[in-house]
């Protein structure tokens, strides 16, 4: 029986655990830095049909439809005046069994945790050192215990410390010169995904269940100094949060001030380049492999896809994993950057031109198939 250490119990680590749980040839353990999982938050996540297909392989379709939402359209709206520019009918990428889905991140995590026995999750533990011991990998953990494994999967997120330890060099993500502001929005009623485009910011609102609860997420271009990024308190400071809301309010007619709840802000970090390693039986997954700019909402879906591909590679003793991933990572990264650029235009003439292009492209089947279909249909 092969033994696998999964470092990090986020979306990618837990999805992989679900696949391994159904496959008796493998034994696995998860090592998670945090003392417990946060299953309370009401923030949302979008899952496109490529990851829904993979989630359905582990029983996602049995979740109560009440806790999920199936948006029909993505609306593009000018934030300054609330005028709708155009929309995309995203149902065209669904099939009979798999639909574009929005939900609370905590609903997804609870579902993924359901099938993983508690005794396979070791909390408050990080990876400290790895050495080859013949065919095995000897791992030293932060509690000073060590254990032999056949495989190590590093899935400890965008700031992956384990990646640096294993690569023997500092591998750090770069600040994307943007800040995310998220919360839940009240007094809103629209079951689609709506993208409001402003100057130097955009925000997205979508339902997270059938209970009229909505997620609000905004990406605001903002450069911060090193000191600000290191200041853990800045992002909890109410003046700073108000200043971010102010940036949006200046250019949007939607009244956010009184309707936003549970507001949180955080800086956005992305991967500078794809760093793989050529170390036998050690693989990176999810954001630890590559963290995308969030404007294409593909991070979690790609984390799930990566874990599925890793599982198939390990099962079939194949080492083609990175070769197959590189192209997909590059095309999603490109699309995420294009979206970020197009959603944040400031100059009125550029905005006018963008809106004409959007109207045309969102109705052009060939374009939609190549821009979205290629990614969503994996
Ligand atoms: C603003 C924003 C909005 C987003 N919206 C979407 C969206 O709508 N749709 C979408 O598909 N994606 C979205 N994403 C991206 C998505 O959230 C991530 O890509 C996804 O969570 C990555 O999963 P992961 O398992 O790799 O990492 P994570 O989910 O971050 O999990 C990493 C885990 O590792 C643990 N850990 C950290 N360090 C260590 C360590 N040293 N040792 C052990 N454990 C450790 C952490 O505690 C955590 O549990 C968004 C991202 C941002 C920034």
């Amino acid at each position: 029986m092969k033994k696998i250490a999964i470092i990090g119990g986020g979306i990618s680590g837990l999805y992989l655990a679900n696949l391994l749980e159904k496959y008796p040839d493998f034994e696995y353990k998860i090592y998670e830095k945090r003392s417990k999982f946060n299953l309370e938050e009401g923030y949302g996540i979008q899952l496109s049909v490529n990851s829904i297909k993979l989630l359905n392989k582990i029983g996602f379709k049995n979740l109560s439809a009440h806790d999920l939402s199936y948006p029909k359209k993505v609306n593009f709206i000018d934030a300054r005046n609330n005028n709708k520019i155009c929309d995309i009918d995203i149902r065209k990428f669904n099939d009979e069994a798999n639909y574009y889905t929005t939900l609370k991140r905590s609903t997804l995590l609870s579902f993924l945790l359901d099938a993983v026995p508690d005794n396979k999750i070791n909390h408050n533990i990080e990876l400290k050192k790895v050495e080859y011991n013949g065919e095995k990998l000897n791992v030293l953990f932060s509690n000073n215990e060590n254990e032999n494994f056949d495989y190590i999967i590093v899935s400890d997120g965008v700031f992956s410390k384990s990646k640096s330890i294993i690569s023997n060099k500092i591998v750090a993500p770069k600040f994307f010169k943007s800040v995310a502001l998220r919360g839940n929005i009240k007094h809103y009623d629209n079951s689609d995904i709506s993208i409001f485009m402003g100057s130097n910011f955009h925000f997205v609102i979508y339902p997270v269940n059938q209970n009229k609860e909505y997620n609000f997420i905004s990406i605001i271009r903002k450069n911060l100094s090193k000191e600000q990024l290191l200041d853990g308190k800045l992002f909890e400071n109410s003046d700073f949060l108000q200043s971010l809301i102010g940036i949006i309010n200046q250019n949007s007619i939607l009244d956010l001030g009184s309707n936003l709840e549970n507001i949180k802000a955080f800086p956005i970090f992305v991967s500078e380049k794809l760093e793989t390693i050529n170390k036998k039986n050690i693989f990176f997954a999810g954001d630890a492999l590559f963290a995308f700019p969030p404007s294409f909402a593909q991070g979690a879906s790609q984390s799930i896809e990566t874990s599925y591909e890793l599982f198939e590679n390990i099962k079939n003793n194949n080492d083609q994993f990175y070769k197959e991933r590189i192209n997909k990572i590059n095309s999603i990264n490109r699309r995420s950057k294009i979206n970020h650029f197009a959603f944040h235009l400031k100059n009125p003439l550029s905005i006018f031109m963008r809106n004409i292009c959007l109207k045309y492209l969102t109705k052009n089947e060939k374009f939609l198939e190549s821009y979205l279909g290629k990614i969503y249909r994996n």
Side-chain angles (χ1 to χ4, degrees), residues 7-13 31-34 37 44-47 105 125-127 155-158 160-162 180 182 206 217 219 266 268 285-288 294 297-303:
I7 315 296
I11 293 170
S12 55
Y31 296 89
E32 165 57 46
K33 182 171 90 169
R34 280 189 256 186
F37 293 105
I45 194 152
Q46 304 181 44
L47 293 173
R105 185 181 277 264
I125 299 192
E126 297 181 46
L127 176 147
S155 52
D156 54 355
V158 55
S160 180
K161 217 158 113 187
S162 317
R182 67 181 179 187
Y206 56 84
I217 173 81
I219 310 296
F266 54 96
I268 296 176
D287 280 5
Q298 270 295 307
S301 290
Q302 290 308 308
S303 298

Side-chain angles (χ1 to χ4, degrees), residues 158-169:
V158 55
F159 298 108
S160 180
K161 217 158 113 187
S162 317
K163 190 169 184 175
S164 297
I165 294 172
I166 287 166
S167 312
N168 292 323
K169 61 175 182 180

Side-chain angles (χ1 to χ4, degrees), residues 116-128:
V116 179
D118 286 348
N119 62 2
K120 292 193 182 174
I121 306 179
N122 301 278
H123 284 281
N124 297 314
I125 299 192
E126 297 181 46
L127 176 147
K128 273 189 98 175

Side-chain angles (χ1 to χ4, degrees), residues 34-279:
R34 280 189 256 186
S35 55
K36 62 183 180 82
F37 293 105
N38 188 344
L39 302 176
E40 311 300 323
E41 285 184 349
Y43 303 121
I45 194 152
Q46 304 181 44
L47 293 173
S48 47
V49 68
N50 43 330
S51 57
I52 292 295
K53 245 181 254 172
L54 302 178
L55 285 168
N56 280 340
K57 288 182 191 287
I58 57 162
F60 189 75
K61 53 169 87 72
N62 300 329
L63 270 186
S64 160
H66 189 79
D67 294 328
L68 309 172
S69 185
Y70 308 110
K72 297 184 180 79
K73 287 179 183 174
V74 175
N75 298 314
F76 294 89
I77 297 166
D78 188 333
R80 294 168 305 178
N81 49 26
N82 252 2
N83 285 345
K84 180 165 155 179
I85 301 159
C86 54
D87 61 50
I88 296 175
D89 187 340
I90 44 170
R91 286 173 300 182
K92 68 169 98 260
F93 303 108
N94 295 345
D95 57 41
E96 323 74 59
N98 307 292
Y99 321 109
Y100 199 110
T101 304
T102 54
L103 69 164
K104 288 184 182 172
R105 185 181 277 264
S106 54
T107 305
L108 176 62
L109 280 180
S110 301
F111 162 74
L112 292 172
L113 277 167
D114 251 6
V116 179
D118 286 348
N119 62 2
K120 292 193 182 174
I121 306 179
N122 301 278
H123 284 281
N124 297 314
I125 299 192
E126 297 181 46
L127 176 147
K128 273 189 98 175
K129 198 172 163 192
V130 180
E131 275 174 354
Y132 283 92
N133 179 5
E135 280 295 293
K136 302 276 179 193
L137 291 155
N138 185 262
V139 186
L140 174 68
F141 293 102
S142 50
N143 59 355
N144 283 330
E145 288 185 5
N146 63 355
E147 195 165 338
N148 281 337
F149 290 92
D150 297 286
Y151 293 93
I152 300 173
I153 307 301
V154 174
S155 52
D156 54 355
V158 55
F159 298 108
S160 180
K161 217 158 113 187
S162 317
K163 190 169 184 175
S164 297
I165 294 172
I166 287 166
S167 312
N168 292 323
K169 61 175 182 180
I170 306 244
V171 187
K174 70 167 184 196
F175 178 48
F176 192 53
K177 295 187 180 163
S178 301
V179 171
L181 182 75
R182 67 181 179 187
N184 303 110
I185 190 152
K186 296 183 295 184
H187 307 125
Y188 185 84
D189 192 8
N190 188 324
S191 57
D192 293 329
I193 298 169
S194 295
I195 302 178
F196 295 78
M197 298 178 290
S199 306
N200 284 339
F201 71 83
H202 79 279
F203 60 88
V204 186
I205 302 179
Y206 56 84
V208 289
N209 52 29
Q210 304 292 331
N211 207 21
K212 296 213 177 296
E213 289 182 77
Y214 291 88
N215 184 69
F216 171 92
I217 173 81
S218 180
I219 310 296
I220 303 163
R221 273 182 201 256
K222 193 168 179 61
N223 207 355
L224 296 173
S225 65
K226 263 194 187 147
E227 292 71 38
Q228 285 175 306
L229 288 170
L230 288 171
D231 175 3
K233 296 231 162 71
L234 176 70
F235 289 87
E236 284 158 23
N237 179 304
S238 64
D239 288 343
F240 181 71
L241 292 179
Q242 285 310 319
S243 76
L244 295 176
I245 295 176
I247 293 174
I248 301 174
N249 275 344
Q250 268 172 19
N251 260 293
S252 158
I253 64 162
L254 209 72
D255 176 19
L256 294 182
S258 54
N259 290 324
L260 265 187
E261 291 179 325
N262 310 320
I263 307 166
K264 269 198 182 160
F266 54 96
I268 296 176
F269 282 84
V270 297
S271 297
E272 194 144 21
K273 59 178 179 157
L274 179 62
E275 298 259 5
T276 58
I277 43 150
N278 195 6
K279 291 201 170 172

